[in-house]
Amino acid sequence: MQSTVSKRSLPSQSRSLASNRALRAITDLIVKRCDFQLTMPHPLAAMPFRYLALTHKHFWLHRKQPQIDALNALGGYLHPGDTVFEVGGHIGFTTQFLATRVGGHGQVHTFEPGTENLETLRKNIRTCANATCINAAVSNRIGKASFYEDRLGGFHSGLSSDFAQMRARLSRKGALADVVVRDVHTVTIDHYAAQHGLHVDALCIDAEGAELDVLRGAETTLGALRVLMLTVTKNHDAVYDLLSKAGFTMQTAKGKQLTSLGDAKRIVFAVRNTA
């Protein structure tokens, strides 16, 4: 049964939306003004790791331990002198680990298109002489694209049109975290590697739904890659098929082989078949 909205209810709805937007703007301003930097020893990299107490609190409550477990597993595949590309640098937690693991003769190139966390990311890798930050999005083409970024930590950001829908939902609900959209430069893994004369040994991808496009722009690189660690949130079957055809076996961080990626958001390891 289709519901109807009376004309009388429209003014009250408009006032409610305006009130929610005002509350969101005030809260966002308070968080930005009152936030402060904390520093802790990186549990794996043995170097100072900086984060914002209010903005990045969610990371430490919900994502720290799974990330540590995944990085410990990834470390078993990396060697001193390796070159690693990281798609989605966020605030540099993974970047610091990678820079330490590949050593002074290795290289880490981290791609982060967002602006919400860029300053913190750069601070965290400032002492990593072998790490380079590229403020661009990785996709399957070179050019520009719309990038959607939440303004309270940048935890939910990406090129996917899903973020446009998320922005609309947040606005309707008067959520405290808003999503802004802006144009960003896009690069491909293959073009960037060829442009800088790099042989890539390992690839880390946390692209919030754009992982299939990232892989499609890395066909040449995949041919010589040893290992990938990627978070799969969309196009699970297509990602699995592409990596299988490129000669990889998919498995969990604990080494359990996967015959499909299912539908859940998960960290997956793709390891080069040696047989």
Side-chain angles (χ1 to χ4, degrees):
M1 179 178 179
Q2 183 175 343
S3 62
T4 59
V5 179
S6 69
K7 292 183 179 180
R8 291 181 180 178
S9 66
L10 293 177
S12 62
Q13 289 181 353
S14 297
R15 286 194 298 270
S16 177
L17 285 173
S19 175
N20 286 335
R21 292 192 185 102
L23 176 62
R24 182 172 64 236
I26 292 170
T27 304
D28 184 59
L29 180 62
I30 291 173
V31 169
K32 296 296 184 184
R33 290 280 181 90
C34 299
D35 214 349
F36 56 96
Q37 180 180 289
L38 294 175
T39 303
M40 62 169 285
H42 192 293
L44 300 177
M47 64 176 62
F49 180 72
R50 301 164 184 83
Y51 64 101
L52 296 176
L54 301 179
T55 300
H56 300 132
K57 180 180 179 181
H58 172 83
F59 180 84
W60 300 112
L61 288 177
H62 302 290
R63 296 181 61 181
K64 180 182 173 184
Q65 193 56 50
Q67 193 75 359
I68 289 175
D69 294 341
L71 292 180
N72 273 324
L74 178 63
Y77 297 102
L78 300 178
H79 308 310
D82 278 350
T83 294
V84 184
F85 282 9
E86 179 192 11
V87 179
H90 198 240
I91 58 175
F93 188 77
T94 297
T95 320
Q96 283 193 349
F97 166 78
L98 295 173
T100 302
R101 188 68 182 84
V102 302
H105 295 292
Q107 297 184 52
V108 179
H109 297 257
T110 183
F111 300 84
E112 176 53 57
T115 58
E116 182 73 13
N117 298 305
L118 197 59
E119 182 180 354
T120 304
L121 170 61
R122 285 173 171 163
K123 285 181 179 179
N124 277 324
I125 67 172
R126 190 171 293 162
T127 57
C128 301
N130 59 348
T132 301
C133 175
I134 303 95
N135 186 211
V138 180
S139 187
N140 61 339
R141 64 182 183 85
I142 301 168
K144 288 189 176 182
S146 295
F147 182 76
Y148 300 87
E149 181 177 23
D150 81 67
R151 295 196 302 178
L152 200 60
F155 292 100
H156 304 289
S157 306
L159 298 173
S160 172
S161 60
D162 290 352
F163 289 94
Q165 300 169 14
M166 182 180 75
R167 184 188 189 197
R169 290 196 301 271
L170 287 171
S171 179
R172 286 196 300 270
K173 294 179 180 180
L176 299 181
D178 196 8
V179 176
V180 295
V181 58
R182 60 187 178 82
D183 287 339
V184 297
H185 292 288
T186 59
V187 299
T188 70
I189 293 294
D190 282 347
H191 181 266
Y192 182 88
Q195 186 181 37
H196 294 84
L198 299 172
H199 169 89
V200 186
D201 299 289
L203 179 60
C204 300
I205 303 174
D206 188 358
E208 297 285 356
E211 47 271 12
L212 181 59
D213 283 342
V214 173
L215 293 172
R216 285 172 172 168
E219 290 185 4
T220 301
T221 302
L222 288 176
L225 206 66
R226 187 189 315 128
V227 63
L228 296 90
M229 183 181 80
L230 67 160
T231 302
V232 184
T233 62
K234 290 179 62 179
N235 303 304
H236 297 76
D237 292 341
V239 169
Y240 184 90
D241 290 343
L242 187 154
L243 291 174
S244 294
K245 291 176 181 177
F248 292 94
T249 296
M250 265 62 72
Q251 61 187 48
T252 66
K254 295 183 178 181
K256 180 182 178 181
Q257 187 168 337
L258 299 170
T259 56
S260 72
L261 300 185
D263 297 322
K265 178 177 180 178
R266 62 164 68 190
I267 296 177
V268 175
F269 284 79
V271 182
R272 171 72 59 193
N273 294 328
T274 56

Coordinates of all heavy atoms in Angstrom, one line a residue, residues 191-243:
H191 N 50.4 1.6 -14.8 CA 51.0 2.8 -15.4 C 52.0 3.4 -14.4 O 53.1 3.9 -14.8 CB 49.9 3.9 -15.7 CG 50.4 5.1 -16.3 ND1 50.7 6.2 -15.5 CD2 50.8 5.4 -17.6 CE1 51.2 7.2 -16.3 NE2 51.2 6.8 -17.6
Y192 N 51.6 3.5 -13.1 CA 52.5 4.1 -12.1 C 53.8 3.3 -12.0 O 54.9 3.8 -11.9 CB 51.8 4.1 -10.8 CG 52.6 4.8 -9.7 CD1 52.6 6.2 -9.5 CD2 53.4 4.0 -8.8 CE1 53.3 6.7 -8.5 CE2 54.2 4.6 -7.8 CZ 54.2 5.9 -7.7 OH 54.9 6.5 -6.7
A193 N 53.6 1.9 -12.0 CA 54.8 1.1 -11.9 C 55.8 1.3 -13.1 O 57.0 1.4 -12.9 CB 54.4 -0.4 -11.7
A194 N 55.2 1.3 -14.3 CA 56.0 1.5 -15.5 C 56.6 2.8 -15.5 O 57.8 3.0 -15.9 CB 55.1 1.2 -16.7
Q195 N 55.9 3.9 -15.1 CA 56.4 5.2 -15.1 C 57.6 5.4 -14.2 O 58.5 6.2 -14.5 CB 55.2 6.2 -14.7 CG 55.5 7.7 -14.8 CD 54.4 8.5 -14.3 OE1 53.7 8.2 -13.4 NE2 54.2 9.6 -15.0
H196 N 57.6 4.7 -13.1 CA 58.7 4.8 -12.1 C 59.7 3.6 -12.2 O 60.6 3.5 -11.4 CB 58.1 4.9 -10.7 CG 57.4 6.2 -10.5 ND1 56.0 6.3 -10.9 CD2 57.7 7.4 -10.0 CE1 55.6 7.5 -10.6 NE2 56.6 8.2 -10.1
G197 N 59.5 2.8 -13.2 CA 60.5 1.7 -13.4 C 60.5 0.7 -12.2 O 61.6 0.2 -11.8
L198 N 59.3 0.4 -11.6 CA 59.2 -0.5 -10.4 C 58.8 -1.9 -10.7 O 57.8 -2.1 -11.5 CB 58.3 0.2 -9.4 CG 58.7 1.6 -8.9 CD1 57.6 2.2 -8.1 CD2 60.0 1.5 -8.1
H199 N 59.4 -2.8 -10.1 CA 58.9 -4.2 -10.1 C 58.2 -4.4 -8.7 O 58.8 -4.3 -7.7 CB 60.0 -5.2 -10.2 CG 59.6 -6.6 -9.9 ND1 59.2 -7.5 -10.9 CD2 59.6 -7.4 -8.8 CE1 58.9 -8.6 -10.4 NE2 59.1 -8.6 -9.1
V200 N 56.9 -4.7 -8.8 CA 56.1 -4.8 -7.5 C 56.1 -6.2 -7.1 O 55.7 -7.1 -7.8 CB 54.7 -4.3 -7.8 CG1 53.9 -4.2 -6.5 CG2 54.7 -2.9 -8.4
D201 N 56.4 -6.4 -5.8 CA 56.5 -7.8 -5.2 C 55.2 -8.1 -4.5 O 54.7 -9.3 -4.5 CB 57.6 -7.9 -4.2 CG 59.0 -7.7 -4.9 OD1 59.4 -8.6 -5.7 OD2 59.6 -6.6 -4.7
A202 N 54.5 -7.1 -3.8 CA 53.3 -7.3 -3.0 C 52.4 -6.1 -3.2 O 52.8 -5.0 -3.4 CB 53.7 -7.5 -1.6
L203 N 51.1 -6.4 -3.0 CA 50.1 -5.4 -3.2 C 49.1 -5.5 -2.1 O 48.6 -6.6 -1.8 CB 49.4 -5.5 -4.6 CG 48.3 -4.6 -4.9 CD1 48.8 -3.2 -5.0 CD2 47.7 -5.0 -6.3
C204 N 48.8 -4.4 -1.4 CA 47.8 -4.3 -0.4 C 46.6 -3.4 -0.9 O 46.9 -2.3 -1.3 CB 48.3 -3.8 0.9 SG 49.7 -4.7 1.6
I205 N 45.4 -3.9 -0.8 CA 44.3 -3.1 -1.3 C 43.2 -3.0 -0.3 O 42.7 -4.1 0.2 CB 43.7 -3.8 -2.6 CG1 44.8 -3.9 -3.7 CG2 42.5 -2.9 -3.1 CD1 44.3 -4.7 -4.9
D206 N 42.8 -1.8 0.1 CA 41.6 -1.6 0.9 C 40.9 -0.4 0.3 O 41.1 0.8 0.7 CB 42.0 -1.3 2.4 CG 40.8 -1.2 3.3 OD1 39.7 -1.3 2.8 OD2 41.0 -1.0 4.5
A207 N 40.1 -0.7 -0.8 CA 39.6 0.4 -1.6 C 38.1 0.6 -1.5 O 37.5 1.3 -2.4 CB 40.0 0.1 -3.1
E208 N 37.5 0.0 -0.5 CA 36.1 0.3 -0.2 C 35.2 0.1 -1.4 O 34.4 1.0 -1.8 CB 35.9 1.7 0.4 CG 36.6 2.0 1.7 CD 35.9 1.3 2.9 OE1 34.9 0.7 2.7 OE2 36.5 1.4 4.0
G209 N 35.3 -1.1 -2.0 CA 34.4 -1.4 -3.1 C 35.0 -1.2 -4.5 O 34.4 -1.7 -5.5
A210 N 36.1 -0.6 -4.6 CA 36.7 -0.4 -5.9 C 37.8 -1.4 -6.2 O 38.6 -1.2 -7.2 CB 37.3 1.1 -6.0
E211 N 37.9 -2.4 -5.4 CA 39.0 -3.4 -5.6 C 39.0 -4.1 -7.0 O 40.1 -4.4 -7.5 CB 39.0 -4.5 -4.5 CG 37.7 -5.1 -4.2 CD 36.8 -4.4 -3.2 OE1 37.2 -3.2 -2.8 OE2 35.8 -4.9 -2.7
L212 N 37.9 -4.3 -7.6 CA 37.9 -4.9 -8.9 C 38.5 -4.0 -9.9 O 39.3 -4.5 -10.8 CB 36.5 -5.3 -9.3 CG 36.3 -6.0 -10.6 CD1 37.1 -7.3 -10.7 CD2 34.9 -6.3 -10.9
D213 N 38.2 -2.7 -9.9 CA 38.8 -1.8 -10.8 C 40.3 -1.7 -10.6 O 41.1 -1.5 -11.5 CB 38.1 -0.4 -10.7 CG 36.7 -0.4 -11.4 OD1 36.5 -1.3 -12.2 OD2 36.0 0.5 -11.1
V214 N 40.7 -1.7 -9.3 CA 42.1 -1.6 -9.0 C 42.9 -2.8 -9.7 O 43.9 -2.6 -10.3 CB 42.4 -1.7 -7.5 CG1 43.9 -1.8 -7.2 CG2 41.8 -0.4 -6.8
L215 N 42.3 -4.0 -9.6 CA 42.9 -5.2 -10.1 C 42.9 -5.1 -11.7 O 43.9 -5.6 -12.3 CB 42.2 -6.4 -9.6 CG 42.3 -6.7 -8.1 CD1 41.4 -7.9 -7.7 CD2 43.8 -7.1 -7.8
R216 N 41.8 -4.6 -12.2 CA 41.8 -4.5 -13.7 C 42.8 -3.5 -14.2 O 43.2 -3.6 -15.4 CB 40.4 -4.1 -14.1 CG 39.3 -5.2 -14.0 CD 37.9 -4.7 -14.2 NE 37.0 -5.8 -14.3 CZ 35.7 -5.6 -14.3 NH1 35.1 -4.4 -14.2 NH2 34.9 -6.7 -14.4
G217 N 43.3 -2.6 -13.4 CA 44.3 -1.7 -13.8 C 45.7 -2.2 -13.5 O 46.6 -1.4 -13.5
A218 N 45.8 -3.4 -13.1 CA 47.1 -4.0 -12.6 C 47.4 -5.3 -13.3 O 48.1 -6.2 -12.7 CB 47.1 -4.2 -11.1
E219 N 46.9 -5.5 -14.5 CA 47.0 -6.8 -15.2 C 48.5 -7.2 -15.4 O 48.9 -8.3 -15.2 CB 46.3 -6.8 -16.5 CG 44.8 -6.8 -16.4 CD 44.1 -6.9 -17.8 OE1 44.8 -7.0 -18.8 OE2 42.9 -6.8 -17.8
T220 N 49.3 -6.3 -15.8 CA 50.7 -6.6 -16.0 C 51.4 -6.8 -14.7 O 52.2 -7.8 -14.6 CB 51.4 -5.4 -16.8 OG1 50.8 -5.2 -18.0 CG2 52.9 -5.7 -17.0
T221 N 51.1 -6.0 -13.7 CA 51.7 -6.2 -12.4 C 51.4 -7.5 -11.8 O 52.3 -8.1 -11.1 CB 51.3 -5.0 -11.5 OG1 51.6 -3.8 -12.1 CG2 51.9 -5.1 -10.1
L222 N 50.2 -7.9 -11.9 CA 49.7 -9.2 -11.4 C 50.6 -10.4 -11.9 O 50.8 -11.3 -11.1 CB 48.3 -9.4 -11.7 CG 47.2 -8.6 -10.9 CD1 45.8 -8.9 -11.4 CD2 47.3 -8.8 -9.4
G223 N 51.1 -10.3 -13.1 CA 51.8 -11.4 -13.7 C 53.1 -11.7 -12.9 O 53.6 -12.8 -13.0
A224 N 53.7 -10.7 -12.2 CA 54.9 -10.9 -11.5 C 54.8 -10.8 -10.0 O 55.7 -10.9 -9.3 CB 56.0 -10.0 -12.0
L225 N 53.6 -10.5 -9.6 CA 53.3 -10.3 -8.1 C 53.4 -11.6 -7.3 O 53.0 -12.7 -7.8 CB 51.9 -9.7 -8.0 CG 51.6 -8.8 -6.8 CD1 52.5 -7.6 -6.8 CD2 50.2 -8.5 -6.7
R226 N 54.0 -11.5 -6.1 CA 54.1 -12.7 -5.3 C 52.9 -12.9 -4.4 O 52.4 -14.0 -4.2 CB 55.3 -12.5 -4.4 CG 55.6 -13.8 -3.6 CD 56.7 -13.6 -2.5 NE 57.8 -12.8 -3.1 CZ 58.3 -11.7 -2.5 NH1 57.8 -11.2 -1.4 NH2 59.4 -11.1 -3.1
V227 N 52.3 -11.8 -3.8 CA 51.2 -11.9 -2.9 C 50.4 -10.6 -2.9 O 50.9 -9.5 -3.1 CB 51.8 -12.2 -1.4 CG1 52.6 -11.1 -0.9 CG2 50.6 -12.5 -0.5
L228 N 49.1 -10.8 -2.6 CA 48.2 -9.7 -2.4 C 47.5 -9.8 -1.1 O 47.1 -11.0 -0.7 CB 47.1 -9.6 -3.5 CG 47.5 -9.3 -4.9 CD1 47.7 -10.6 -5.7 CD2 46.3 -8.5 -5.6
M229 N 47.2 -8.7 -0.4 CA 46.3 -8.7 0.7 C 45.2 -7.7 0.4 O 45.5 -6.5 0.2 CB 47.0 -8.3 2.0 CG 46.1 -8.4 3.3 SD 46.9 -7.9 4.8 CE 46.9 -6.1 4.7
L230 N 44.0 -8.1 0.3 CA 42.9 -7.2 -0.1 C 41.7 -7.4 0.7 O 41.4 -8.6 1.1 CB 42.6 -7.3 -1.6 CG 42.0 -8.6 -2.1 CD1 41.4 -8.3 -3.5 CD2 43.0 -9.7 -2.3
T231 N 41.0 -6.3 0.9 CA 39.7 -6.4 1.6 C 38.6 -6.4 0.5 O 38.6 -5.4 -0.3 CB 39.4 -5.2 2.5 OG1 40.5 -5.2 3.5 CG2 38.1 -5.3 3.2
V232 N 37.8 -7.4 0.4 CA 36.8 -7.6 -0.6 C 35.4 -7.2 -0.1 O 35.0 -7.8 0.9 CB 36.8 -9.0 -1.2 CG1 35.8 -9.1 -2.4 CG2 38.2 -9.4 -1.6
T233 N 34.8 -6.2 -0.7 CA 33.5 -5.7 -0.2 C 32.4 -5.9 -1.3 O 31.3 -5.8 -1.0 CB 33.6 -4.3 0.2 OG1 34.0 -3.4 -0.9 CG2 34.6 -4.1 1.4
K234 N 32.9 -6.0 -2.6 CA 31.9 -6.0 -3.7 C 32.5 -6.9 -4.8 O 33.7 -7.3 -4.8 CB 31.7 -4.6 -4.3 CG 30.9 -3.7 -3.4 CD 30.8 -2.3 -4.1 CE 30.0 -2.5 -5.4 NZ 29.8 -1.1 -6.1
N235 N 31.6 -7.4 -5.7 CA 32.1 -8.1 -6.9 C 32.9 -9.3 -6.5 O 34.0 -9.6 -7.1 CB 32.8 -7.2 -7.8 CG 32.0 -6.0 -8.3 OD1 30.9 -6.1 -8.8 ND2 32.6 -4.8 -8.0
H236 N 32.5 -10.1 -5.5 CA 33.3 -11.1 -4.9 C 33.6 -12.2 -5.9 O 34.8 -12.6 -6.0 CB 32.5 -11.8 -3.7 CG 32.2 -10.9 -2.6 ND1 31.3 -9.9 -2.6 CD2 32.8 -10.8 -1.4 CE1 31.3 -9.2 -1.5 NE2 32.2 -9.8 -0.7
D237 N 32.6 -12.6 -6.8 CA 32.9 -13.6 -7.8 C 33.9 -13.2 -8.8 O 34.8 -13.9 -9.3 CB 31.6 -14.1 -8.4 CG 30.7 -14.8 -7.4 OD1 31.2 -15.3 -6.4 OD2 29.5 -14.9 -7.7
A238 N 33.7 -11.9 -9.3 CA 34.6 -11.4 -10.3 C 36.0 -11.2 -9.8 O 36.9 -11.5 -10.5 CB 34.0 -10.0 -10.8
V239 N 36.2 -10.8 -8.6 CA 37.5 -10.7 -8.0 C 38.2 -12.1 -7.9 O 39.3 -12.2 -8.3 CB 37.4 -10.0 -6.6 CG1 38.8 -10.1 -5.9 CG2 37.0 -8.5 -6.7
Y240 N 37.4 -13.0 -7.4 CA 37.9 -14.4 -7.3 C 38.4 -14.9 -8.7 O 39.5 -15.5 -8.8 CB 36.9 -15.3 -6.7 CG 37.4 -16.7 -6.4 CD1 38.0 -17.0 -5.2 CD2 37.3 -17.7 -7.4 CE1 38.4 -18.3 -5.0 CE2 37.7 -19.0 -7.2 CZ 38.3 -19.3 -6.0 OH 38.8 -20.6 -5.7
D241 N 37.5 -14.8 -9.7 CA 37.8 -15.3 -11.0 C 39.1 -14.6 -11.6 O 39.9 -15.2 -12.2 CB 36.6 -15.1 -12.0 CG 35.5 -16.0 -11.6 OD1 35.7 -17.0 -10.9 OD2 34.3 -15.7 -12.1
L242 N 39.2 -13.3 -11.5 CA 40.3 -12.5 -12.0 C 41.6 -13.0 -11.4 O 42.6 -13.2 -12.1 CB 40.1 -11.0 -11.8 CG 41.1 -10.1 -12.4 CD1 40.4 -8.7 -12.7 CD2 42.3 -9.9 -11.6
L243 N 41.6 -13.1 -10.1 CA 42.9 -13.6 -9.4 C 43.2 -15.0 -9.7 O 44.4 -15.4 -9.8 CB 42.7 -13.3 -7.9 CG 42.7 -11.8 -7.5 CD1 42.4 -11.7 -6.0 CD2 44.0 -11.2 -7.9

